[in-house]
Every structure is written in C-alpha cells, then in structure tokens.
Amino acid sequence: MSAISFFVSYGYNIESDGDAFVEKINAYMRVYQRILRPGEFLVDVFPILRYLPDWFPGAGFKRQAMEWNHNKETIHDVPFQRVKRDMAAGKAQPSFTSTLLEDLAFDPLAASKYNESNVKRAAGSIYTGGNDNTTSSIHTLLVAVLQFPGIQEKAQEELDRVIGRDRPPSIGDREDLPYCAAIVQEILRWQPATPFALPHALDQDEEFRGYVIPKGTTIMANVWGMTRDENFYPQPEEFIPERHLILDEKGTRLRETTRHLATWGFGRRVCPGSTLAEAVIFAGVISMLWACKISRPAGTEDFKIEYETYGVRWPKDFPVEFEPRFEGAMDILRSSIYDTDQ
C-alpha cells in the first residue's frame, strides 16, 4: 500500500517495508488516527484551553501538537523536494507532483488556481488519506475469508475459470471477475474503514427533525449505521458478496452493480481517490486469492477476531496461514511484480 501511494504521489519506488521514511510516516499516521477521534483531547471538550501558555502545567498537548505538526511538515516536504530536485536534473518519474509542478511552470492558468504549497499538501494527502484505509480493507478481506470460508472457494473457482493458472489476474480483468469485484464492495460495507467518516462542521444553523443544530457544530456521519440498514442489506452482519451482483441486460451473466459511496465520505470532502482505492483493494483480493489458500492455523479455530477503531477501523492481531494454491504460483506472482509489462 505504501509503494502504490508513494508511486502515485511522487514517482518514488519503495524497495522494502523497512524503508526509514515509511516508518516515520506510519508513526505519524498513528497520531493522525488519534486526532480524528472527537474528544480524544481535553481541549476538544474545553476549547478555552487552547489559550493556555505553552509552559503552563496541563498544556503539554500544545507542545505535543507542535512536535506532531513539525513531523507532518517533514513528511510532506522531504519527498516533495526530492521530486523538485529530480525534475531539475531531468530524471523525475511521472507522478501527481511532477505533473502539477510542470503545469504550474508552463500553464499560466494553473498559477491562478494553485501554488506549490497546495501541490505539496495534496500529494501528502494521497498517502495519509488512502494508505490506512486500503490496508484496513485488505486486513478485513483476510478476516472475511477466515469467518466465511465459502467466499474463498467461490472466488477461486471464478479465478481459475476466467484466468487460469498460467498468469496472474490484473485490474484489467475486473469486468470478467464480477464475484471478486463484489467482494470489494462487501468489504467496504461489512467493515467500513472509517465508520464515522471524517468530521464535518456546519457552516450555518440547521434544523433536523425538530432540533436546531447550531452553526459550527461538529457532525459525524454514521456510515456504520448506513451500511447495516436491513431495508437495504438483509442479514447485515453476514459477509455476502452476492448482494452486489445482478444479471446483465441480457440476463446471461453476472455483473457488479453497486458502489458504496457512503464509505468514501460526503460533500466537498468526499474522497477524491476512491476509484484508485477500490482498484488497489481489488488488486489485493485477486492476487491473494489467486495465489494462496488462506486459513486458520491449527489450534486457532476458536480464536475470536475483534476490531478497534481509532479514526480507522482495524482488526486486532489475529492468526492466519497462507499456502500456495498450486505449484509455481508464488514464482508467477513474484515475476509479475518486477515485470513492467504486467
């Protein structure tokens, strides 16, 4: 997930999970998830505390916030400046950042719409806004496979029938893999990564069911409740990809029919990367289920998997086992990672 986000943002290839900069970003993301929770800090409840001097007892949150803000600025600035240096040297890879900086340099209209600071922050948000959500969804895939083994069997039957075993599936196969595509939508419905979306604030007084909600009130959207509305999703606690499938116009083949737009936020703050995120999750689904058999390790059959929510909803650590589905599967998968034609 880190590699995809970084490549889109900066054209930067991360060679290993141990990349020091990725570790620094992941540490910041744990802070970011805390900040997303309303009431996490006392100043959220008593805003007047923001006026305490930094040195005052009990104002440690201000010093902590300054440190976190410095870390955030570093995370945004380091890869951004690298792209600028690579552009000056003529060796920058195509990316979100390089494309917008080129437009800024050569298109007079671009300068009237945004500046370098906007590009830097937008590029940073591709990672901070997408990495945890997509990773959480891949973890949920594993949970679903362990708790509802039948979905793995159906997906692998579809993959073997459509793709075979001589090549790995790709994102371009999505229309021919409706059941696997439906698994993505059911992941987003069953365990939405952000069950209360991002906080919004009212810009004017609003009346709702006889109640007046004042301007400035923080509003949390109950995505969790929406995805468990039994009027739309019977047996909401069950993982049922088929609920997202219908027959095509000719009534001859299944196709994916729904997208869970509620899981991507609302209004002007709706996630601009939802299409990319769904493609990334789909890639994870088809890659793992094509190459691996996923199961509970022996002796853990009764292990109860639990979730926790810190801004993003995550399953707590749980035991899981992977086996290659057939001889040569892992070699084919590995070769596709380094094959630029795949």
Side-chain angles (χ1 to χ4, degrees):
M1 300 306 162
S2 299
I4 293 170
S5 298
F6 256 73
F7 192 78
V8 170
S9 298
Y10 308 109
Y12 172 26
N13 284 305
I14 296 173
E15 295 183 358
S16 71
D17 291 339
D19 186 285
F21 194 67
V22 173
E23 291 298 322
K24 183 178 293 187
I25 292 176
N26 288 341
Y28 169 73
M29 290 305 300
R30 289 190 284 273
V31 172
Y32 181 69
Q33 290 188 27
R34 286 185 62 191
I35 294 171
L36 280 177
R37 293 204 304 181
E40 177 71 12
F41 302 93
L42 193 59
V43 68
D44 295 336
V45 182
F46 301 104
I48 195 171
L49 294 178
R50 75 179 71 176
Y51 300 109
L52 289 176
D54 295 352
W55 52 266
F56 198 81
F61 70 90
K62 298 190 75 174
R63 296 187 293 275
Q64 195 171 47
M66 290 174 64
E67 178 186 348
W68 289 343
N69 187 61
H70 173 74
N71 293 343
K72 177 182 67 110
E73 292 302 321
T74 299
I75 287 166
H76 285 175
D77 194 56
V78 169
F80 179 80
Q81 295 300 334
R82 172 176 172 166
V83 173
K84 290 186 67 176
R85 290 194 300 272
D86 287 348
M87 290 178 68
K91 59 179 185 179
Q93 296 294 319
S95 68
F96 175 89
T97 299
S98 64
T99 298
L100 290 185
L101 289 179
E102 286 176 357
D103 289 347
L104 199 58
F106 299 109
D107 183 356
L109 293 178
S112 67
K113 298 177 182 178
Y114 61 87
N115 56 36
E116 282 197 5
S117 178
N118 299 142
V119 177
K120 181 196 301 186
R121 296 180 186 281
S125 72
I126 292 176
Y127 186 96
T128 58
N131 187 63
D132 278 359
N133 292 352
T134 49
T135 304
S136 166
S137 294
I138 294 299
H139 288 188
T140 287
L141 164 68
L142 302 180
V143 176
V145 166
L146 297 184
Q147 293 187 349
F148 304 93
I151 66 172
Q152 178 171 219
E153 297 170 8
K154 292 178 181 178
Q156 289 173 343
E157 184 281 325
E158 180 179 72
L159 286 162
D160 285 345
R161 174 168 43 82
V162 175
I163 305 300
R165 298 185 174 184
D166 295 328
R167 69 168 179 92
S170 72
I171 292 175
D173 295 311
R174 183 165 183 163
E175 288 190 7
D176 296 322
L177 297 169
Y179 187 81
C180 291
I183 288 176
V184 175
Q185 299 306 322
E186 186 67 347
I187 287 171
L188 298 173
R189 184 208 65 82
W190 187 58
Q191 298 289 346
T194 50
F196 296 101
L198 288 176
H200 289 62
L202 294 181
D203 57 11
Q204 62 184 32
D205 291 353
E206 293 284 354
E207 182 178 343
F208 180 72
R209 296 183 179 177
Y211 294 89
V212 175
I213 307 175
K215 175 183 177 180
T217 299
T218 299
I219 298 295
M220 307 293 290
N222 189 359
V223 174
W224 183 263
M226 296 176 193
T227 60
R228 273 160 174 70
D229 186 339
E230 295 194 33
N231 293 315
F232 296 96
Y233 309 111
Q235 300 177 276
E237 298 301 328
E238 299 292 307
F239 193 94
I240 307 174
E242 288 86 350
R243 68 172 93 239
H244 308 286
L245 294 172
I246 62 170
L247 288 172
D248 63 15
E249 292 79 1
K250 297 179 180 178
T252 57
R253 58 177 290 187
L254 290 172
R255 65 180 178 86
E256 177 194 11
T257 183
T258 57
R259 286 188 71 213
H260 276 293
L261 300 182
T263 61
W264 301 112
F266 307 89
R268 292 189 300 167
R269 298 185 70 185
V270 68
C271 176
S274 62
T275 302
L276 173 62
E278 286 191 17
V280 170
I281 298 168
F282 177 74
V285 168
I286 59 177
S287 297
M288 284 194 284
L289 294 181
W290 178 82
C292 303
K293 178 183 177 183
I294 302 167
S295 61
R296 293 180 182 267
T300 66
E301 291 81 6
D302 297 327
F303 185 92
K304 184 178 180 182
I305 301 174
E306 298 178 340
Y307 274 77
E308 58 187 350
T309 303
Y310 292 95
V312 174
R313 184 167 172 80
W314 293 89
K316 296 180 181 180
D317 288 350
F318 59 93
V320 61
E321 189 169 81
F322 297 85
E323 298 176 29
R325 286 186 61 223
F326 52 89
E327 186 177 354
M330 303 314 294
D331 291 334
I332 295 173
L333 197 60
R334 271 191 212 97
S335 67
S336 72
I337 295 173
Y338 300 104
D339 184 351
T340 56
D341 294 330
Q342 295 263 8

